[in-house]
Amino acid sequence: MDKSSTLLVHYDKGTPAVAKEIKEALEGNDVEAKVDAMKKAVMLLLNGETIPQLFITIIRYVLPSEDHTIQKLLLLYLELIEKTDSKGKVLPEMILICQNLRNNLMHPNEYIRGVTLRFLCRLKETEIVEPLTPSVLQNLEHRHPFVRRNAILAVMSIYKLPNGEQLFVDAPEMIEKALSTEQDPSAKRNAFLMLFTCAEERAVYYLLSNVDKVSDWNESLQMVVLELIRSVCKTKPAEKGKYIKIIISLLSATSSAVIYECAGTLVSLSSAPTAIRAAANTYCQLLLSQSDNNVKLILLDRLSELKSSHRDIMVELIIDVLRVLSSPNLDIRRKTLDIALDLITHHNINEVVQMLKKEVVKTQSGELEKNGEYRQMLIQAIHACAVKFPEVASTVVHLLMDFLGDSNVASALDVISFVREIIETNPKLRVSIITRLLDTFYQIRAGKVCPCALWIIGEYCLSLSEVENGISTIKQCLGELPFYSVSEESAPTETSKKIQPTSSAMVSSRKPVILADGTYATQSAASETTFSTPTVVQGALTSGNLRALLLTGDFFLGAVVACTLTKLVLRLEEVQSSKTEVNKTVTQALLIMVSMLQLGQSPASPHPIDNDSYERIVLCIKLLCHRNDEMKKIWLESCRQSFVKMISEKQLREMEELKAKTQTTHAQPDDLIDFFHLKSRKGMSQLELEDQVQDDLKRATGEFTKDENDANKLNRILQLTGFSDPVYAEAYVTVHHYDIALEVTVINRTKETLQNLCLELATMGDLKLVERPQNYSLAPATSMQIKANIKVSSTETGVIFGNIVYETSNVMERNVVVLNDIHIDIMDYISPAVCSDVAFRTMWAEFEWENKVAVNTKIENEREFLDHIIKSTNMKCLTGPSELEGECGFLAANLYAKSVFGEDALVNVSIEKQTDGALSGYIRIRSKTQGIALSLGDKITLKQKGSS
């Protein structure tokens, strides 16, 4: 087994120091050479070398040295060497160092005394420590505080040894006496810590005797006081009332660390509104006073925990929480907005929206690099506020519409999505939103934003003036027709063309052409042979955004323009009495559509028009040429109905998620309930009364009985050895986010006592053992529980393997029982989560790790297979129920989950039903890290074949 070390230093063993050279240097009189030799010896010990031949040399030549550096290195050497034999008995030569240690403890120099006392804290051998106890006690009254504080620690460590209480029978009394007279803060803290660790009753007595002075104590001592309070209240919960008063008095301390610990202790000990309010206020004050971003993130986590359990109290502090938005860090801002959005009520919604509007206005200044990303977060937050409380939509929608032309496309997309939802859910705002949208439409430059804006114009322009303005706006943004012209250019060998302005006289040899800037000119053809070349007409400087996007080859936008014009023309026919005006508008719309088709089929376009856009535009042309009532109903009513259905499903999904978040507790009908009003209130403070009420409520609603059911516990028990092995072992595995706790039950099935029984574990993957294994003795036919803790650093499937080693009295050889491997499932680390479609697509494009798994299953129903994958992977399906309805033989769905380490897991399921009834397709997994992609892929491959 590896030996424990308090110091890990890298040492290059390529040229190891020879023990003989070190010995010669130690025997010399050169102090610097001795220091170097001691350093080399310590390095060799740290790297696993034993070098026992140096011990006597060091005793003879290094022990008598008066140099402080050599003495410190000597203590490091003595700490690292092996002091016991294989049977655990102290080596005889160790007695030689006792006299030197005693001399050091009585040394006139306080530094030598102090470092020697500190060295004694690390000694575990009672035989070495026992002769030194009188000298240690004398140092408790030394004049220098450095010696006294280390003497107290030495007393504490010796007292905690197996026979330490016999060595220092009255140690607690002496330390208590020293504590009452001690003036040095560090020594006082060490003394109180010793009482807390070894004689808790005396520490409590001292604390309660000096309640009025606690707020004046040193920071380190106050931290130990809080630790003592937590320990006492766990064992004696009935007495926590008097300790909570001490905690509240410490909330006014000058140290931020003490204040933070006070707030955490308050929350852990009491659920009274006064205590929770004080803790929340403390966290908010620390948020504003601390400059470290990591500290702020930790404080926001604490506030988030309070929000989940004490939302009513946190609602009062929502404005204080939002003040943290002044921090430039995006992670802090994001977490702050997440907390605030869960605390919005009818009472504070106006204040919150007002504050968010101010922050949006601040982002218009280009001082910070990530203003666009922050603005997007604010827009999403305002959107969520307006959906929950529609009455505030009117105050923010017009402000946000100013950002439709934002250079940050994601931000502009959020705005237009917000406008689309608000115009449907708030009919009173329709007229003002349409008017503002038509006025600002020309500012939109993003090809992804224009289609949504055009859809809104086509669906919600209802009156005659709105329809006419809508058509006029689209025509203005498309510019003059045609989109391209065929100009005649002479051959290279001929005389070049002469272009003159339109103001010059026209002659028979001249013809009009359109220049690149949109103006007209006449062209003289001097050559005999000419050839035609199509040229894109960019339009004048005043040309609109739609023309610029169309000329780049965005024909999907062209199809949306055609559909919007079709809807507007159909609606114009309903509201306009003049047939002449309607026919004129139809002609103009048809001309625009035909021009777009010609542009898409001409060589002047960057790329030809795609089939879907072509068919859509042709459909619009046919509809305008052959209009009927049935088609009008589909185009003018059905589209809106589908959108309304989508909005209602989204709201329903959000309500279900909110219900899932709320914890449901159950109380048994025969549980004991203490009636608060029938209890005696003598001597109880207001905070204790409130705490009692909260405890009664929790007990009545079953919050104290949220134990895991027995079936789940049985599922987590893993058999590690066979029934025929001399030692039977099974493990109960508990996963606590970053930790894995193993409770291994070991049963001795033999008739002999097992000695030095040790559970040796090793890990594979991102798992790390926290503790070293210990040796145990196990009597015949008895059992014991061995606990082991393992740290987890990433979401990756890990393996724990090992064996049980033991000895028997008859056979001195060590016996080994190999254990079954324990596979840590990735499902323990990921949980279903929700994100928007835009966020999903953004992450899908950014994440670099992809695992593609082919569908191979016996399940024949697409929806049944999807449900099986969702259940197997513990993920959330982002695709709505209405989108998965119907039997078309195809299914595509997006799944999302988040790990406890903040990693995102994205899954896309695309399946098709073959003619023989079998399912085929692929499941794609994407993540930022390789581990989660591979682990999820392995899990899906294992689970997809069956429903069991």
Side-chain angles (χ1 to χ4, degrees):
M1 291 187 295
D2 294 336
K3 297 174 184 176
S4 61
S5 171
T6 57
L7 182 67
L8 292 176
V9 181
H10 172 71
Y11 182 64
D12 187 4
K13 294 180 68 175
T15 57
V18 182
K20 187 177 180 182
E21 296 176 4
I22 298 176
K23 185 176 180 181
E24 291 175 356
L26 292 175
E27 290 174 351
N29 295 322
D30 188 357
V31 175
E32 292 185 3
K34 280 189 176 183
V35 169
D36 290 337
M38 285 299 296
K39 286 182 179 178
K40 290 177 182 178
V42 169
M43 290 293 186
L44 287 172
L45 286 170
L46 287 171
N47 283 276
E49 302 291 337
T50 54
I51 49 174
Q53 62 270 32
L54 289 181
F55 182 77
I56 298 299
T57 304
I58 288 175
I59 293 295
R60 289 180 61 191
Y61 295 99
V62 179
L63 241 65
S65 175
E66 295 291 330
D67 186 79
H68 290 183
T69 305
I70 291 178
Q71 285 296 323
K72 187 169 184 179
L73 290 169
L74 172 64
L75 293 175
L76 282 175
Y77 170 82
L78 294 176
E79 182 183 342
L80 292 171
I81 62 173
E82 190 64 43
K83 304 173 190 67
T84 57
D85 56 16
S86 58
K87 296 182 179 180
K89 294 184 178 181
V90 176
L91 296 171
E93 55 265 32
M94 287 299 113
I95 304 301
L96 297 174
I97 69 171
C98 287
Q99 184 60 40
N100 177 71
L101 293 175
R102 186 184 294 110
N103 294 338
N104 282 354
L105 291 174
M106 306 306 293
H107 200 280
N109 185 281
E110 58 269 6
Y111 176 77
I112 298 294
R113 287 197 185 204
V115 293
T116 307
L117 287 165
R118 189 179 297 172
F119 167 71
L120 293 181
C121 295
R122 301 186 180 97
L123 284 181
K124 305 298 180 187
E125 293 76 24
T126 309
E127 292 87 343
I128 301 175
V129 173
E130 187 174 1
L132 305 175
T133 52
S135 303
V136 173
L137 291 176
Q138 289 179 19
N139 282 296
L140 288 174
E141 300 177 356
H142 194 272
R143 58 180 176 79
H144 202 283
F146 178 71
V147 177
R148 294 199 303 273
R149 70 176 73 128
N150 285 293
I152 294 169
L153 289 178
V155 170
M156 180 174 71
S157 60
I158 295 171
Y159 191 79
K160 288 163 66 176
L161 291 175
N163 297 321
E165 294 184 16
Q166 297 176 6
L167 298 178
F168 285 139
V169 179
D170 53 351
E173 295 178 15
M174 290 187 290
I175 297 298
E176 187 177 13
K177 183 180 177 182
L179 178 60
S180 60
T181 58
E182 184 59 63
Q183 299 299 320
D184 180 66
S186 297
K188 203 168 185 178
R189 176 257 179 198
N190 292 349
F192 191 79
L193 178 64
M194 189 274 172
L195 291 180
F196 164 44
T197 309
C198 305
E200 192 175 276
E201 300 81 6
R202 294 180 182 272
V204 170
Y205 176 77
Y206 179 80
L207 173 62
L208 296 179
S209 303
N210 297 271
V211 170
D212 299 334
K213 302 176 183 177
V214 172
S215 56
D216 300 326
W217 285 352
N218 181 262
E219 172 189 347
S220 58
L221 182 54
Q222 289 175 342
M223 296 289 279
V224 181
V225 166
L226 291 171
E227 196 174 343
L228 171 67
I229 290 173
R230 283 193 292 266
S231 174
V232 172
C233 290
K234 281 182 182 178
T235 55
K236 301 175 183 178
E239 298 181 5
K240 65 183 178 182
K242 53 187 175 184
Y243 296 108
I244 288 177
K245 295 175 185 176
I246 300 174
I247 299 172
I248 291 178
S249 69
L250 285 175
L251 285 175
S252 57
T254 55
S255 168
S256 299
V258 172
I259 295 172
Y260 173 78
E261 286 296 327
C262 280
T265 308
L266 263 182
V267 173
S268 64
L269 297 182
S270 174
S271 55
T274 305
I276 300 301
R277 193 174 289 109
N281 275 317
T282 301
Y283 287 143
C284 290
Q285 290 169 11
L286 289 172
L287 271 174
L288 298 176
S289 62
Q290 297 300 308
S291 57
D292 190 294
N293 288 338
N294 293 319
V295 173
K296 289 188 176 184
L297 287 171
I298 292 171
L299 289 167
L300 287 170
D301 285 337
R302 300 290 84 76
L303 286 173
S304 182
E305 292 169 3
L306 284 181
K307 177 202 69 180
S308 58
S309 54
H310 304 279
R311 184 179 180 275
D312 294 340
I313 296 170
M314 285 298 299
V315 165
E316 305 169 10
L317 303 171
I318 185 170
I319 301 301
D320 294 328
V321 173
L322 284 173
R323 289 196 180 99
V324 190
L325 292 175
S326 57
S327 171
N329 185 276
L330 281 180
D331 292 328
I332 292 174
R333 286 170 163 174
R334 184 178 291 109
K335 192 166 282 192
T336 302
L337 289 172
D338 290 342
I339 293 172
L341 288 178
D342 289 338
L343 300 176
I344 297 172
T345 64
H346 284 283
H347 301 292
N348 58 29
I349 181 64
N350 292 323
E351 290 180 88
V352 172
V353 170
Q354 193 66 29
M355 200 162 185
L356 295 177
K357 282 167 63 178
K358 289 179 181 177
E359 290 295 318
V360 169
V361 173
K362 288 179 186 177
T363 61
Q364 290 178 294
S365 62
E367 296 175 3
L368 298 175
E369 296 178 5
K370 298 185 177 180
N371 265 349
E373 198 172 340
Y374 178 42
R375 187 185 307 126
Q376 182 186 354
M377 289 162 48
L378 290 170
I379 290 168
Q380 291 171 351
I382 293 174
H383 185 175
C385 293
V387 170
K388 285 183 180 178
F389 303 96
E391 63 270 16
V392 301
S394 59
T395 62
V396 295
V397 66
H398 298 298
L399 171 68
L400 295 186
M401 288 180 75
D402 290 338
F403 297 100
L404 284 173
D406 197 347
S407 56
N408 185 349
V409 178
S411 177
L413 266 174
D414 286 331
V415 172
I416 199 65
S417 302
F418 169 65
V419 171
R420 183 180 64 178
E421 188 169 346
I422 292 302
I423 200 173
E424 173 58 40
T425 55
N426 292 265
K428 294 179 181 178
L429 300 176
R430 186 193 64 80
V431 175
S432 61
I433 289 176
I434 284 293
T435 305
R436 186 65 180 273
L437 181 59
L438 293 175
D439 290 342
T440 58
F441 184 78
Y442 71 92
Q443 298 175 357
I444 303 175
R445 298 290 172 182
K448 294 181 179 179
V449 181
C450 280
C452 189
L454 287 168
W455 185 88
I456 295 172
I457 292 172
E459 287 292 338
Y460 295 97
C461 286
L462 304 179
S463 66
L464 177 60
S465 60
E466 290 171 351
V467 172
E468 290 176 345
N469 287 339
I471 296 172
S472 174
T473 300
I474 293 174
K475 285 167 61 180
Q476 183 182 354
C477 291
L478 287 171
E480 295 291 337
L481 299 179
F483 294 111
Y484 78 99
S485 67
V486 180
S487 60
E488 293 183 356
E489 298 179 359
S490 57
T493 57
E494 302 296 332
T495 308
S496 60
K497 298 174 286 182
K498 296 179 182 178
I499 300 178
Q500 299 176 356
T502 46
S503 58
S504 61
M506 293 288 291
V507 293
S508 59
S509 62
R510 296 179 181 182
K511 59 190 297 183
V513 295
I514 303 174
L515 298 181
D517 61 355
T519 58
Y520 287 88
T522 55
Q523 174 179 299
S524 257
S527 60
E528 294 181 0
T529 59
T530 61
F531 63 94
S532 301
T533 304
T535 307
V536 170
V537 180
Q538 298 292 344
L541 294 175
T542 57
S543 297
N545 47 353
L546 294 180
R547 186 186 192 90
L549 292 169
L550 279 173
L551 295 182
T552 59
D554 189 353
F555 291 106
F556 172 74
L557 177 61
V560 177
V561 170
C563 292
T564 304
L565 286 172
T566 303
K567 289 180 183 178
L568 291 174
V569 169
L570 293 176
R571 189 154 282 127
L572 180 66
E573 195 173 18
E574 290 183 349
V575 297
Q576 175 63 267
S577 57
S578 173
K579 296 293 182 183
T580 307
E581 289 294 328
V582 173
N583 291 334
K584 181 180 176 181
T585 307
V586 169
T587 305
Q588 293 171 346
L590 289 173
L591 180 61
I592 292 171
M593 295 177 197
V594 171
S595 298
M596 288 190 293
L597 290 177
Q598 288 180 336
L599 175 64
Q601 294 175 334
S602 74
S605 175
H607 55 78
I609 187 171
D610 57 284
N611 290 334
D612 290 338
S613 300
Y614 178 83
E615 291 175 3
R616 193 71 171 168
I617 296 174
V618 169
L619 175 65
C620 293
I621 293 173
K622 290 180 179 178
L623 177 61
L624 289 180
C625 294
H626 307 284
R627 301 186 294 277
N628 58 65
D629 294 337
E630 187 176 351
M631 294 303 293
K632 279 185 183 179
K633 184 176 180 182
I634 293 173
W635 279 70
L636 298 182
E637 295 180 14
S638 299
C639 292
R640 175 91 66 86
Q641 290 170 359
S642 299
F643 178 64
V644 170
K645 186 178 179 183
M646 185 188 83
I647 293 293
S648 60
E649 281 188 358
K650 178 187 172 186
Q651 293 173 346
L652 186 64
R653 198 159 56 239
E654 289 174 352
M655 289 177 63
E656 289 176 354
E657 290 167 6
L658 191 63
K659 287 181 181 178
K661 285 182 181 178
T662 56
Q663 299 176 346
T664 55
T665 55
H666 304 282
Q668 295 299 323
D670 56 347
D671 283 350
L672 179 66
I673 299 177
D674 291 328
F675 287 93
F676 164 72
H677 292 287
L678 302 180
K679 281 187 174 182
S680 172
R681 305 187 189 184
K682 290 182 180 179
M684 295 180 71
S685 65
Q686 181 62 32
L687 194 142
E688 289 177 276
L689 292 173
E690 291 178 8
D691 208 23
Q692 186 67 50
V693 172
Q694 294 299 319
D695 287 350
D696 290 345
L697 285 173
K698 286 181 179 179
R699 193 175 289 108
T701 55
E703 199 167 329
F704 283 155
T705 58
K706 291 190 290 184
D707 293 332
E708 192 177 10
N709 59 48
D710 295 335
N712 288 338
K713 285 186 178 181
L714 290 173
N715 290 336
R716 292 184 177 275
I717 293 178
L718 302 173
Q719 184 178 338
L720 300 181
T721 63
F723 291 112
S724 60
D725 287 323
V727 177
Y728 175 77
E730 63 183 22
Y732 174 59
V733 183
T734 309
V735 178
H736 301 289
H737 289 189
Y738 297 94
D739 300 297
I740 299 173
L742 293 181
E743 294 182 21
V744 182
T745 302
V746 181
I747 302 175
N748 181 3
R749 303 181 69 246
T750 67
K751 296 181 180 179
E752 299 178 88
T753 300
L754 304 183
Q755 299 173 351
N756 294 328
L757 184 143
C758 180
L759 174 67
E760 297 179 348
L761 297 175
T763 59
M764 187 172 67
D766 287 336
L767 305 175
K768 183 180 179 183
L769 284 167
V770 177
E771 304 146 335
R772 287 171 42 79
Q774 296 181 1
N775 293 335
Y776 304 93
S777 294
L778 193 60
T782 58
S783 64
M784 68 179 302
Q785 278 198 341
I786 303 174
K787 293 185 178 181
N789 290 317
I790 295 169
K791 286 284 182 186
V792 187
S793 56
S794 73
T795 310
E796 188 174 344
T797 300
V799 181
I800 304 171
F801 51 93
N803 48 54
I804 293 176
V805 183
Y806 63 92
E807 298 174 356
T808 58
S809 56
N810 298 335
V811 183
M812 294 308 296
E813 293 182 0
R814 306 199 80 185
N815 299 299
V816 179
V817 179
V818 180
L819 305 178
N820 290 332
D821 296 346
I822 301 174
H823 293 267
I824 303 302
D825 197 351
I826 186 178
M827 294 301 104
D828 293 323
Y829 304 119
I830 68 172
S831 56
V834 180
C835 73
S836 65
D837 291 339
V838 175
F840 185 93
R841 286 193 290 270
T842 303
M843 289 188 286
W844 187 267
E846 290 176 355
F847 289 174
E848 54 188 15
W849 290 103
E850 177 175 300
N851 192 2
K852 188 176 180 182
V853 180
V855 172
N856 180 16
T857 180
K858 296 178 182 178
I859 302 174
E860 296 185 351
N861 183 273
E862 306 98 293
R863 187 62 187 272
E864 183 183 343
F865 177 74
L866 175 64
D867 293 338
H868 175 59
I869 293 297
I870 292 171
K871 183 180 178 182
S872 303
T873 57
N874 195 26
M875 301 187 81
K876 174 74 175 178
C877 182
L878 301 181
T879 309
S882 61
E883 300 169 57
L884 299 173
E885 287 178 356
E887 298 288 338
C888 62
F890 298 91
L891 187 145
N894 293 331
L895 313 181
Y896 179 64
K898 218 171 176 59
S899 76
V900 296
F901 308 101
E903 300 166 317
D904 300 289
L906 313 177
V907 173
N908 173 260
V909 180
S910 299
I911 49 179
E912 176 185 2
K913 195 165 189 175
Q914 302 294 328
T915 53
D916 59 354
L919 298 180
S920 66
Y922 291 97
I923 301 171
R924 288 180 175 83
I925 306 143
R926 286 198 183 181
S927 66
K928 192 175 286 186
T929 56
Q930 182 184 20
I932 194 169
L934 294 177
S935 301
L936 260 181
D938 295 341
K939 186 75 176 178
I940 291 173
T941 303
L942 182 67
K943 290 283 188 179
Q944 69 168 322
K945 291 189 177 181
S947 56
S948 58

